[in-house]
Amino acid sequence: MAHINENRDALLGRIKRIAGQVGAVERALGGNANCTEVLHLVAAVRGAVNGLLDEIIVEHLEAHVARDGLSPEERQQGAEDLVTIIRRYSK
Amino acid sequence: MAHINENRDALLGRIKRIAGQVGAVERALGGNANCTEVLHLVAAVRGAVNGLLDEIIVEHLEAHVARDGLSPEERQQGAEDLVTIIRRYSK
Amino acid sequence: MAHINENRDALLGRIKRIAGQVGAVERALGGNANCTEVLHLVAAVRGAVNGLLDEIIVEHLEAHVARDGLSPEERQQGAEDLVTIIRRYSK
Amino acid sequence: MAHINENRDALLGRIKRIAGQVGAVERALGGNANCTEVLHLVAAVRGAVNGLLDEIIVEHLEAHVARDGLSPEERQQGAEDLVTIIRRYSK
C-alpha cells in the first residue's frame, strides 16, 4: 500500500473532485439543465477519471514493479495487476 | 431537453450508480484497501462513465440532429455540440 | 459519397502518411530498432488513426445526418452508421 | 530487444495485417466505396492498432520492468518508457 499511503491525500482530493463533478451531473439531470450541458459535464467526468486512472497506473508501476528491493514474486504480481487493467479497460 | 426528459430516470439511475462507485473509491482510499483494489475500482468507474457518455452521445445524435421536424439551425447546433465532444474527449 | 469526394485528397494524404508510419513499424521490427522505438512508433500510429477516425466521424455527421435536404430515411441511416461505430469502437 | 526478438514473427504478422487494412482504406478512398464502408474500415484499423499497442506495452512491462535479473537502472528506464506512452497516448 506504500504508494497509496504516500499519495493518499492527493488521490483523495482528486476523487472528491470527481465525486463533486458526478454530483453536478446528477443535479443537472434532476434539474432543467439542457442536454448540451449534461453532455459536457459527463465528458468532463470522463476526462478526470482517465487522468486519475493514469496516475494510479503510473504509481502502481513504480511502487509494485520497478521499485528496488521487491521480490521477483512481488514484481510479477504487480505486473499482472497492470496487465489485467490494460487488457480490460484500454481500447 | 426532449431526450433527457424521456430517459431521465434511466440516466439518473446510471449516474447514481457511478456516484456509488466513486464513493467506493473514496472509502477504499480512506480505508485500508490495497492498491490493486483501488486500481480496479477506478478502472470500473472509467468503464461506467464511458458507457454513460456513449449513451448520451447516441441520444443527442438522434434527438438533436437526426430527428424529423428539426430546423436546419437546430440540426447544425446539435451537430456542433457533438463535434466539440468528439474533438475534445475522444482519443 | 459527397463528403468523401470533397475531402478525398486530404483523407488520402492522411491515410498515406499512416501507411508510411505503419511501414516504419514494419522496418523497425524487421531491423534492429529497440523496443522503446517500436513502442513509440506504434503509439504514434494509434494517435494518427484516432485523429483520422474523428475527422471521418465529424464529416459523416455533417454530410449524412445534419445537412439540409436529406430525407428522414437518409438521416436515420446516417445516424445508425455513427451509432454502430460509437458502440463498437469507443471505450 | 529480447521480447521483440522472441515475438518478432507474431508482431510482424500483426503489423503486416494492419498494413493490409490501411491499404484497404486507401483503395476504398481511391475507388467508389461509400462513406459508411470507409468509416468501418478506419474504425477496424483503430481496433487493430490498439490491440497491437496493448500487446507491446504488456511485453515491455514484463521484459524491461518486471523480469528477474534486470539492474535497478534498467527497471527505471523500462518504467519511464511506459509512463511516457501512458501520459501521451491514453485518454
Side-chain angles (χ1 to χ4, degrees), chain C residues 1-58:
Chain C
M1 275 283 287
H3 69 100
I4 292 276
N5 291 338
E6 280 156 40
N7 303 302
R8 183 187 306 281
D9 293 343
L11 292 172
L12 267 172
R14 287 182 80 154
I15 197 70
K16 284 183 192 292
R17 277 194 299 279
I18 289 172
Q21 287 178 284
V22 171
V25 175
E26 216 172 318
R27 285 190 300 280
L29 283 170
N32 277 319
N34 69 40
C35 315
T36 307
E37 280 171 65
V38 174
L39 194 59
H40 283 275
L41 286 170
V42 176
V45 172
R46 180 182 188 272
V49 171
N50 274 346
L52 176 62
L53 184 58
D54 286 353
E55 215 42 50
I56 293 178
I57 287 173
V58 165

Side-chain angles (χ1 to χ4, degrees), chain A residues 9 11 17 25 37 51 61 63 82:
Chain A
D9 292 343
L11 292 172
R17 277 194 298 280
V25 175
E37 279 172 66
L61 174 64
L82 292 179

Side-chain angles (χ1 to χ4, degrees), chain B residues 19-77:
Chain B
Q21 287 178 284
V22 171
V25 175
E26 215 171 319
R27 285 189 300 279
L29 282 170
N32 278 320
N34 68 40
C35 316
T36 306
E37 280 171 67
V38 174
L39 194 58
H40 283 276
L41 285 170
V42 176
V45 172
R46 180 181 186 272
V49 171
N50 274 345
L52 176 62
L53 185 58
D54 287 352
E55 213 44 48
I56 294 180
I57 286 173
V58 165
E59 289 175 12
H60 199 89
L61 173 66
E62 280 160 5
H64 293 288
V65 189
R67 189 161 56 84
D68 231 14
L70 292 173
S71 70
E73 293 72 25
E74 285 171 324
R75 283 192 212 287
Q76 276 310 322
Q77 182 54 58

